Amino acid sequence: MAYLLLLQYKTNVIGVIHTINAFLPLLRAGETKKCIVTSSEMGSLKYILKNDVSFAPGYSMSKAAVNVAVSKFAVKL
């Protein structure tokens, strides 16, 4: 379980953060200032509780974490 959690976190959170950071110079230089990250309702506490979702904990936690990371980028930039 811990290996899968780490793998999902690296892919869904760390990978997204590195990708955004790699493209920041292009975003800053361009006219359109948009960065789109695809997430999932599985990262939403409200959705999980409303639908009684107990499976895929690592995926859900990584999607919640990427939602927070993207929100932090949005506020900062």
Side-chain angles (χ1 to χ4, degrees):
M1 167 95 173
Y3 172 76
L4 185 56
L5 175 64
L6 184 59
L7 180 63
Q8 291 168 329
Y9 193 85
K10 283 181 177 180
T11 301
N12 294 331
V13 184
I14 304 301
V16 170
I17 290 170
H18 284 309
T19 303
I20 291 171
N21 283 329
F23 280 94
L24 275 179
L26 295 172
L27 287 167
R28 288 184 173 127
E31 289 183 28
T32 303
K33 311 292 186 189
K34 291 184 181 182
C35 179
I36 298 170
V37 176
T38 303
S39 189
S40 165
E41 283 188 320
M42 289 289 283
S44 164
L45 297 176
K46 185 176 180 178
Y47 175 82
I48 291 167
L49 294 171
K50 179 181 177 188
N51 295 289
D52 201 27
V53 179
S54 62
F55 60 90
Y59 178 80
S60 292
M61 288 186 281
S62 70
K63 287 302 185 175
V66 79
N67 292 342
V68 170
V70 170
S71 297
K72 296 293 184 175
F73 272 110
V75 168
K76 183 176 181 180
L77 302 172

